[in-house]
Amino acid sequence: MNNRRTLCLMLVLLLAFVVLGFSLAKPDLYPTLTNLQNVVGSQSVLVVAALAAMMPLVTGHFDLSIGAIVALSTVATGAALSAYAMPVPLALLGAVAIGGAAGGLNGYIVAKLGVNSLITTIGTASIISGLLQLYTNGETIVGGIPQSLTNIGTQIWLGLPQAVFPAVVGVFTFATARFNRPLQSALGP
């Protein structure tokens, strides 16, 4: 436990050193509220994806398909909005369901069929990436996306971009959830 605290302290000190260094190097750009909002807003999706990767890590497995599943959910949202004119909440709910189903399929293959998690998730990522390439033809879906959805990453609420709040809720939930320890002891390596 002491090593873990030392590592956390070292990471916090490293972060403080980096922030101080950039603040001194670019005092008119870096230590500004606008820059903080941009950095925090742009990293919130990465935080949510990292939380998705944490669940298998707690149990001693790796999930290398997180990026592909995020892309699948993103394309599903875009397709639901542009091709099928679904309401935004329904499109987002569908994206969460599709992402959850893909993750559940990985979990089933690893837990019930006994296939190594690295092999399973590399295979899943490859299949999903291929299907997305086939569906999108390598192009970005831009038509039919409502402004209300694209504003989520840029609109400010309580001084922070709206996209930050799901990430904060996810981090808080994962850090304080009672399921972590039993999950780790029951399913861990």
Side-chain angles (χ1 to χ4, degrees):
M1 186 67 172
N2 194 20
N3 288 339
R4 186 175 176 189
R5 270 197 194 134
T6 303
L7 179 62
C8 287
L9 179 62
M10 289 172 55
L11 289 173
V12 168
L13 289 174
L14 178 63
L15 176 64
F17 179 75
V18 169
V19 168
L20 180 65
F22 278 107
S23 296
L24 292 173
K26 296 286 185 176
D28 54 329
L29 295 175
Y30 191 77
T32 64
L33 181 60
T34 303
N35 186 50
L36 177 66
Q37 290 169 339
N38 285 334
V39 170
V40 171
S42 67
Q43 297 305 307
S44 58
V45 173
L46 182 61
V47 169
V48 172
L51 288 172
M54 289 294 291
M55 189 64 74
L57 286 175
V58 166
T59 65
H61 298 282
F62 290 95
D63 188 345
L64 301 177
S65 66
I66 297 291
I69 292 173
V70 168
L72 175 65
S73 298
T74 304
V75 169
T77 302
L81 293 170
S82 66
Y84 302 106
M86 285 187 180
V88 172
L90 188 58
L92 293 176
L93 186 61
V96 169
I98 289 170
L105 177 64
N106 280 340
Y108 177 79
I109 293 170
V110 171
K112 294 296 184 190
L113 301 181
V115 180
N116 181 287
S117 62
L118 289 172
I119 302 301
T120 300
T121 58
I122 288 172
T124 304
S126 298
I127 292 167
I128 290 172
S129 297
L131 291 172
L132 291 177
Q133 177 68 25
L134 188 67
Y135 179 78
T136 64
N137 228 10
E139 296 183 18
T140 305
I141 300 173
V142 292
I145 309 297
Q147 191 70 32
S148 62
L149 183 62
T150 59
N151 285 345
I152 290 174
T154 58
Q155 286 190 334
I156 304 300
W157 189 56
L158 297 176
L160 294 171
Q162 287 179 346
V164 169
F165 295 98
V168 169
V169 168
V171 168
F172 180 77
T173 301
F174 194 83
T176 60
R178 295 184 182 270
F179 65 79
N180 281 343
R181 192 168 306 271
L183 183 66
Q184 188 174 12
S185 63
L187 301 174

